[in-house]
Amino acid sequence: MVERITNGLLRRGLLILALLLPGAALAAESAAVTSPRVTATLLSSRDVVAPGERFQVALSQKIAKGWHTYWANPGDSGEPTRIEWTLPAGYSAGAIQWPAPKALPVEPLVNFGFSDAVLLPVEITVPEGAQPGERLTLKANATWLVCEKICIPEEGSFTLDLKVGPAPVADEAAQSRIDAARAALPQPAAFRAKLTQDGDALALALPGLGQPVEELRYFPLLETLIEHAAPQTATNSSDGTVLRLARSSSFKIGETELNGVITYREAGVPRALSLMADVEPALVNSTPAAAAPQAAQALAVVRVAAAPESNLTLWAALAFAFAGGLILNLMPCVLPVLFIKALGFAQAAQASRAEVREQGLLFLCGVLTSFIILAGAVIALAALGTSIGWGFQLQSPPVVIALAVIMVLIGLNLLGAFEIGGSVQGAGHGLASSGGRLGAFMTGALAVIVATPCTAPFMGAAMGYAVTQPPQIALAVFLALALGFAAPVVLLSFAPGWLRLLPKPGRWMVILKQAFAFPMFATATWLVWVASVQAGPGGVLAALAAILAAGFLVWLLGLGRSAGGRTRIALSALALFVAVGAGAFVLQSAVPSATDTARAGDIEPWSPERVAALQAEGRPVFVNFTAAWCITCLANERVALVRQEVKDTFAKLNVAYLKADWTNRNATIAAALAEHGRAGVPLYLFYPGTKGAPPEIMPQLLTTDMLVEAASRAAGKEARTAQNRP
């Protein structure tokens, strides 16, 4: 008793002493950051912290009526609140302890978040070495998205100036608020749930909820698990409660355990549990189609429905594939390789016709092997429910970059910048003119590689037929394509009379070979552009770095040819290091862009200059100020903007569609929003096709009729109709 009284007096004494010290004013609540939508402060449960203890701070958000902020999984749209800490050395901050969210419907979507007010606790750890008398300055920069009909990203910086003492001193008011918030956090469930597939849906078994409960809802932390707006149906049995969930269209699970929260009412009392669920192994890393029990049947249905070429017979498909393969030889990126091979035949024929025939057959083997590998990949991916076709590998930026490097190397080789021997002769001149057996085989493989970016007539129908058929038929179509592709070279190798049509070997071969370098460079240029579209500036940087590394590698290998044993080993090791480093850089940098909506379809990126230019051309302009995290924007996209009637009207009236994407901060877009009296998105503007004419501001919730009528007004159709009336 005496000790407790002594400690209490000591704490109060320390607090009074600290308050009396100049510049050491204690603050358990930071200055508020206020907007018309949110008032935010940072609270501390302590006025004085002690060495080695853990205490709670919390970000408080008082949210205006009608507005909401977001949970860790925001649902169909939005962004969770984030806090970045600046702490003294030795201090650490834990993660946000999320309260149970509410489902916030905005038809046809549902978000997860908070309205009215929310407290987000965070645990702070004080190091053992903290010295009493020190000052602890907690700095936090928080960002949150607040939405009603529009969404506005907000942020605030908060500072708490606390004291380090020999014993902690609580701030009673703040401690009480934070304790209440923590007591309301979802409590760990006393059972483990189990997630299994249930037909086309998912079943979440909750064995610990034996008795019927009301208003049961599951909030997963994983955004790619369920359709957030779909109803969740609970059934009860002797084994407990089972919640049936609609599988997300972007369904993806990478772990065997899932975190989430369930909320429900029990005897009228609201409850929330933090839930760990065991995932059925078949669902991990599966696709929606593969995960479904009737995957094979469903895939077959999709195949039939998706293939307009399904009326094609097998023989017709084989003929189309063979013809497509033949024509594929004429594509700009393939022709140089094959023509140089033909020149090699012309030279070799002077010595041995048998050697020419052998090289032709080896070329055929190279082509067939490459096509079989491609067919295997297509068949395997199609079986997993992935819709792919010819050139599917070009959907991967690293593959595109690798092809660009190959094109550049071939071009340099054709120009005579380097010649390397051995098995690498298949990369250019050597493989065609004097490459030997392996060189002939690799020429066939190389020809297929450089052909994949191209598509020839008849190929589309044949490939569309192939991917909708059983594996053996798909393989047959691919082999027919391979035979057509290899036919010219093979026939040339067995028809030496045709070689006499060529001029005799001479300098013209060197000039022609050099000239063929430029189609390869042109193809490489196009591939770098493809990488830029797929991965943005990072893709361009990765492609150029890969080309630089490839050139350096070739130079090192050239030095190694004339070097001694140890030097050659050292150069080879350096070349390997460069190759691995360049590959890692490409894989890290060439990541597909997360948002690229501005380039979708006929939609252009917005800029004030572009609006002015289009108006000067007499075109009406529709501007969509949007963001990936804006739920209203997404709702308008689904219910109005993507409707075919709207697209047809825009096309008929020659309306230009510009998109101002505010997903990332953009001062120009923010200024344009402010210019029209808005602080956030969405904002929709219809500009008439008259130079300098002001826009019509559309409502925040769009309908198809609304857009069609506004487009007519902007195009002046309504005005002319009125003028024509008697």
Side-chain angles (χ1 to χ4, degrees), residues 217-451:
R217 186 172 189 110
Y218 178 55
F219 297 89
L221 278 175
L222 185 65
E223 297 182 26
T224 57
L225 184 67
I226 63 173
E227 289 294 332
H228 303 116
Q232 300 182 2
T233 306
T235 57
N236 296 291
S237 67
S238 57
D239 296 329
T241 303
V242 176
L243 202 55
R244 198 167 192 270
L245 309 167
R247 193 195 313 261
S248 171
S249 59
S250 56
F251 180 81
K252 184 177 181 182
I253 303 178
E255 305 291 339
T256 56
E257 293 182 331
L258 281 178
N259 282 312
V261 168
I262 55 171
T263 59
Y264 58 94
R265 284 186 177 273
E266 189 175 41
V269 178
R271 301 192 183 282
L273 295 179
S274 174
L275 195 70
M276 180 68 76
D278 296 318
V279 179
E280 183 180 5
L283 291 172
V284 178
N285 295 324
S286 66
T287 62
Q294 299 84 11
Q297 296 178 8
L299 182 59
V301 172
V302 171
R303 283 171 169 169
V304 172
E309 298 82 7
S310 58
N311 293 328
L312 212 62
T313 65
L314 173 59
W315 289 110
L318 294 175
F320 277 26
F322 188 85
L326 275 176
I327 300 174
L328 195 59
N329 287 288
L330 302 177
M331 296 298 108
C333 46
V334 184
L335 190 59
V337 175
L338 302 183
F339 201 85
I340 291 167
K341 187 64 187 172
L343 296 182
F345 284 171
Q347 287 182 316
Q350 307 300 318
S352 170
R353 292 180 180 176
E355 181 183 344
V356 173
R357 287 195 291 271
E358 182 184 56
Q359 289 202 15
L361 291 175
L362 289 170
F363 175 88
L364 174 63
C365 290
V367 170
L368 290 175
T369 302
S370 301
F371 269 97
I372 289 172
I373 293 173
L374 274 176
V378 170
I379 292 170
L381 292 174
L384 292 174
T386 303
S387 179
I388 59 174
W390 177 256
F392 69 92
Q393 65 275 26
L394 295 180
Q395 296 170 353
S396 168
V399 173
V400 171
I401 291 172
L403 281 173
V405 171
I406 291 173
M407 298 295 176
V408 170
L409 290 177
I410 294 175
L412 291 175
N413 184 258
L414 294 175
L415 286 177
F418 67 90
E419 289 188 5
I420 51 181
S423 61
V424 195
Q425 283 179 331
H429 169 73
L431 66 89
S433 60
S434 59
R437 293 172 178 171
L438 184 57
F441 179 88
M442 293 303 296
T443 305
L446 177 66
V448 175
I449 291 172
V450 299

Side-chain angles (χ1 to χ4, degrees), residues 621-623 676 683-688 693-699 706 709-714:
V621 182
F622 174 72
V623 183
H676 294 92
L683 171 64
Y684 305 103
L685 303 178
F686 248 120
Y687 288 84
E696 175 186 354
I697 299 178
M698 301 289 294
M706 204 181 284
E709 292 169 5
S712 299
R713 287 194 296 271

